[in-house]
Amino acid sequence: MILTLQEKDKYILEKLAKLIFLNDYKIYTTELSKKNKNHQNSCSLVISDKILVDKLKEKYELCENKTFKLKFPNFLNKTNLLYSFIRGYFDGDGCITLENKNRKAIVSIVCNEIFASGLEKFLIKNGIKAYNYKKGKNNREIKFRENASVEKFYKLMYLNTEMYLYRKKDKFEIFKKTINEKTSNSSKS
């Protein structure tokens, strides 16, 4: 099993290796930016323990090319792992874009049709006004931009956790800070 992230997110692979007790692990770097300046270098953690890989696949229904094949993990609904799972999925196939001097945020998550249905239900159940758009032949894009929905998503994803991509959480933090300043300035008027 190979897990790949951007080179700047290498710390996540290191944390994961320690979390699953990989004593002798190596993270490989692929220099993509030399071939194409628009690409980021990547890092990969190779898990070669067949027993561990089989257990992970069986228990968590892991699959290759998750964006195109993964089903929404309804079996996690009764656990706190669902939030961690969605955060991990968002870190891989989601983004937050800041607009209007950081006063507006758009959260977008790309996934397949089956996953999109479950994710949309989860978000709506948690008070997030999400919209499910067709993107390409078999993919969907779940999007939301209402400030209250973005803040609820932030709280669901980052409350009581230490495992996340810093660069994505940092964007939420910038958005929250701008909104809090805007609110504080308008109350002074």
Side-chain angles (χ1 to χ4, degrees):
M1 175 183 290
I2 301 172
L3 305 171
T4 303
L5 295 173
Q6 288 183 21
E7 185 177 33
K8 59 185 159 193
D9 302 323
K10 180 179 178 180
Y11 64 91
I12 288 283
L13 296 176
E14 291 167 342
K15 278 185 176 184
L16 181 63
K18 290 173 186 162
L19 186 69
I20 59 175
F21 306 109
L22 291 178
N23 297 325
D24 189 25
Y25 69 91
K26 181 166 173 140
I27 296 176
Y28 300 90
T29 301
T30 305
E31 294 187 359
L32 301 171
S33 60
K34 284 185 178 178
K35 295 176 186 174
N36 184 333
K37 64 180 180 178
N38 295 322
H39 289 109
Q40 299 282 326
N41 289 344
S42 66
C43 284
S44 299
L45 171 65
V46 178
I47 303 173
S48 53
D49 181 331
K50 185 172 173 16
I51 295 169
L52 176 61
V53 169
D54 289 345
K55 282 183 180 179
L56 289 170
K57 284 182 176 180
E58 180 184 326
K59 185 168 183 172
Y60 298 110
E61 299 179 11
L62 300 181
C63 64
E64 294 177 25
N65 299 317
K66 70 179 175 351
T67 307
F68 308 108
K69 297 178 184 175
L70 191 65
K71 296 177 188 166
F72 192 80
N74 289 314
F75 64 93
L76 291 177
N77 273 338
K78 294 179 177 74
T79 71
N80 288 334
L81 291 176
L82 185 57
Y83 301 106
S84 296
F85 180 88
I86 292 171
R87 184 180 50 261
Y89 191 93
F90 171 75
D91 281 348
D93 285 330
C95 70
I96 174 171
T97 306
L98 300 178
E99 295 181 336
N100 194 14
K101 297 182 182 176
N102 302 331
R103 288 190 205 112
K104 278 303 231 186
I106 301 169
V107 176
S108 170
I109 305 167
V110 176
C111 49
N112 64 57
E113 291 181 50
I114 297 167
F115 191 90
S117 175
L119 179 59
E120 183 181 24
K121 286 176 189 169
F122 166 82
L123 294 171
I124 290 169
K125 178 182 166 192
N126 284 283
I128 296 168
K129 292 183 180 176
Y131 300 92
N132 186 339
Y133 298 98
K134 189 162 181 61
K135 184 174 177 118
K137 186 177 178 186
N138 296 318
N139 286 341
R140 308 296 294 183
E141 182 176 26
I142 303 292
K143 255 185 176 176
F144 48 96
R145 66 181 313 138
E146 187 178 281
N147 286 358
S149 290
V150 173
E151 288 190 64
K152 283 180 186 175
F153 185 75
Y154 168 82
K155 287 177 185 172
L156 286 173
M157 293 301 103
Y158 298 108
L159 192 64
N160 299 321
T161 187
E162 297 173 16
M163 191 89 130
Y164 52 84
L165 291 183
Y166 299 145
R167 61 188 167 87
K168 292 200 179 180
K169 185 178 184 221
D170 289 348
K171 277 194 171 182
F172 279 103
E173 296 285 341
I174 290 167
F175 168 72
K176 282 183 48 116
K177 183 179 177 198
T178 305
I179 293 305
N180 290 340
E181 287 172 358
K182 180 182 163 191
T183 305
S184 126
N185 287 340
S186 60
S187 66
K188 291 177 184 176
S189 304

